[in-house]
Amino acid sequence: MPRESMSVWRLEFPQPPGWRVEWLGPYTSHWLTAEAEEIVRYMEAEHRVTHPHPRDPGIFESYPGDDRLSCGCASRSLLEQWFGDYLPRLLAQGAHVTHYSVPAAAVVEDSPEQVLFITRMATVVERTGHEAPTPMIRSSAGSRTSIIAASGGTYDFEAS
């Protein structure tokens, strides 16, 4: 019997009231604390090398607007593995862990590493976290890619 839905865990940052999207993952978040911005910059550079990408690199362009995709993990422990030492630091900067119930019809890709799903079709089961310790600022999410590309995709980041 095919499953009707699955649980997906995702790391997200709140976006300002009235923003187009209420919650975004750290890789695409437009609003972060200054410290979270630095953490995400290093994490993203590392993950471009060490973490798998979706099988189809253009998949996100295939689901625009209201059908946009989100990435998550099939369990909380897989989410913790994905983010590793970055997770507690991002949680300290206002990130939240969100547990979603995702209907099977909304799952676009389900691999051992990550689940891609149509965001609007998922239901929040629980969201845990706390407010950021400093004000959120407009992040350079759009420009991080060019910074990483210019650096050869690596940074010398060390968790303190």
Side-chain angles (χ1 to χ4, degrees):
M1 173 189 265
R3 69 176 176 213
E4 294 180 22
S5 66
M6 71 181 295
S7 287
V8 176
W9 279 259
R10 181 173 154 73
L11 187 65
E12 301 176 315
F13 280 91
Q15 302 303 286
W19 194 252
R20 184 177 59 87
V21 179
E22 290 183 56
W23 294 88
L24 287 171
Y27 301 108
T28 58
S29 185
H30 291 275
W31 293 86
L32 298 164
T33 65
E35 185 171 336
E37 170 75 15
E38 284 300 307
I39 295 167
V40 168
R41 182 175 290 171
Y42 290 106
M43 180 184 74
E44 188 171 25
E46 179 186 313
H47 286 185
R48 284 177 176 268
V49 176
T50 63
H51 286 50
H53 294 288
R55 288 186 285 269
D56 174 8
I59 192 79
F60 294 98
E61 286 80 32
S62 302
Y63 291 85
D66 289 343
D67 282 340
R68 72 178 184 82
L69 298 181
S70 290
C71 296
C73 297
S75 71
R76 170 75 189 235
S77 63
L78 289 172
L79 179 84
E80 291 168 358
Q81 288 174 28
W82 181 276
F83 288 103
D85 291 339
Y86 294 108
L87 183 61
R89 297 191 71 207
L90 291 172
L91 290 172
Q93 291 302 311
H96 289 63
V97 173
T98 306
H99 173 197
Y100 285 96
S101 176
V102 181
V107 176
V108 173
E109 185 175 308
D110 181 8
S111 70
E113 296 84 17
Q114 62 185 341
V115 177
L116 272 63
F117 62 96
I118 299 171
T119 311
R120 71 175 171 80
M121 294 175 69
T123 303
V124 173
V125 174
E126 180 181 33
R127 181 173 282 131
T128 58
H130 58 81
E131 194 171 313
T134 59
M136 303 286 242
I137 58 169
R138 183 77 161 96
S139 89
S140 61
S143 64
R144 281 199 302 262
T145 301
S146 55
I147 292 169
I148 291 166
S151 72
T154 58
Y155 278 86
D156 295 324
F157 178 76
E158 301 217 0
S160 50

